[in-house]
Every structure is written in structure tokens, then in C-alpha cells.
Amino acid sequence: MKRSIALIAFTSMLFACTTTKVKLPGEGTVPTEVLNGFNKLHEKNTNQQWTILPDGRYSVRYRITGFRYRDLLDTRGALIQTQQETWQATLPEGVNSFIFREYADYQIGEASKITFPDGEQVWDVGLKGPQGANFVLRLTRDGKVISQTEAEDYKWFM
């Protein structure tokens, strides 16, 4: 928690300056090309939390009108996907129908809509089972399961 608060403060302070690179404690530097790629998409968003992933890609978390978002960018700054926090009530009917039918005994944790640059959308839904099994389902709009990933905590978005 203290690390998150310090990281937010540090990142905010960096973006208030006119530097072209963001240095993250213990995680390296976000190159100008990657920052420019993000800023082309969200030029007015200055409250960003960057992470360099083990595979070299970049994850940036931010908020717009109270909703949490996370963009995944490649090493050139090209958008790979955008993850947007959503509520169960706003999940597509096919997703909700499938979950209520197949996982009636499970509790929905967090859910998000994933949008790819080509416009394709999928939904990730965190579920907590009656015996404590936590996992994330990735589904199409009509409720077809694409993948299931084990999760330590069903509140996994941010």
C-alpha cells in the first residue's frame, strides 16, 4: 500500500515536469516512443501508473470519469489492448446468462471489457467459488468461454 501511494506520488510528480521519459523505481524507464504512443490516445490524462512487464511490454493504469483503465502497449508504443473496469449490470446479456447458468453458486468479483485495436471486444469476469476457488473467465459477447485463468484473488483488475 505504501509502495502504491509512493509510486502514484512519484509518477504524478514526474508528469508535472517536462521530461520525455518516466523513471520508475526498480522497474526501469518508459521510453519516449511508448509515452508518445499513450499520449496520442489519452493526451489529457496525466495520472498514470506505469509498469514494465517481464516480456518487455508496458502496462499503464489510469482513470477516466471514475472508471479504471489499463492499456497494454508494445515496445514501440503501439496499443495492444485496453481494459476497462465494468459492472455486472453492464456485462453483455450473453455473458451474464452464461455465468448465471453455469456458475450460479459463484460470486462475481471484478469484471472488465477488453478492447483490441481492431474493435474486437471480450470480457474478463473474476469469479469466487463456494470452496474458495478463484479464477477469471474470458468470454465473448455471446457468452462463449475463450479461457479460464486461476487467480489468487478474484479482485484482480488493479
Side-chain angles (χ1 to χ4, degrees), residues 32-100:
T32 301
E33 188 175 31
V34 175
L35 290 172
N36 288 343
F38 176 79
N39 289 330
K40 283 180 187 173
L41 300 169
H42 310 287
E43 70 180 56
K44 296 188 180 192
N45 189 303
T46 57
N47 188 12
Q48 306 160 15
Q49 298 173 336
W50 286 88
T51 304
I52 300 171
L53 303 174
D55 64 3
R57 297 180 300 171
Y58 296 85
S59 172
V60 57
R61 297 173 183 183
Y62 56 98
R63 288 183 181 265
I64 298 177
T65 61
F67 285 95
R68 296 180 295 177
Y69 289 81
R70 183 173 70 179
D71 284 0
L72 184 62
L73 299 125
D74 68 16
T75 56
R76 297 177 332 272
L79 181 67
I80 297 170
Q81 69 179 41
T82 297
Q83 181 180 14
Q84 176 188 353
E85 170 186 45
T86 190
W87 295 299
Q88 179 182 348
T90 62
L91 291 171
E93 184 178 334
V95 171
N96 270 327
S97 295
F98 175 80
I99 290 171
F100 290 137

Side-chain angles (χ1 to χ4, degrees), residues 5-15 22-25:
I5 292 170
L7 184 59
I8 290 168
F10 182 74
T11 305
S12 297
M13 194 171 56
L14 282 173
F15 277 97
V22 176
K23 176 111 174 101
L24 298 174

Side-chain angles (χ1 to χ4, degrees), residues 135-155:
F135 57 93
V136 177
L137 286 179
R138 178 163 284 187
L139 304 123
T140 63
R141 173 178 292 283
D142 57 0
K144 292 182 182 161
V145 176
I146 298 169
S147 66
Q148 177 177 329
T149 307
E150 298 302 316
E152 286 183 30
D153 183 354
Y154 73 114
K155 292 189 176 199

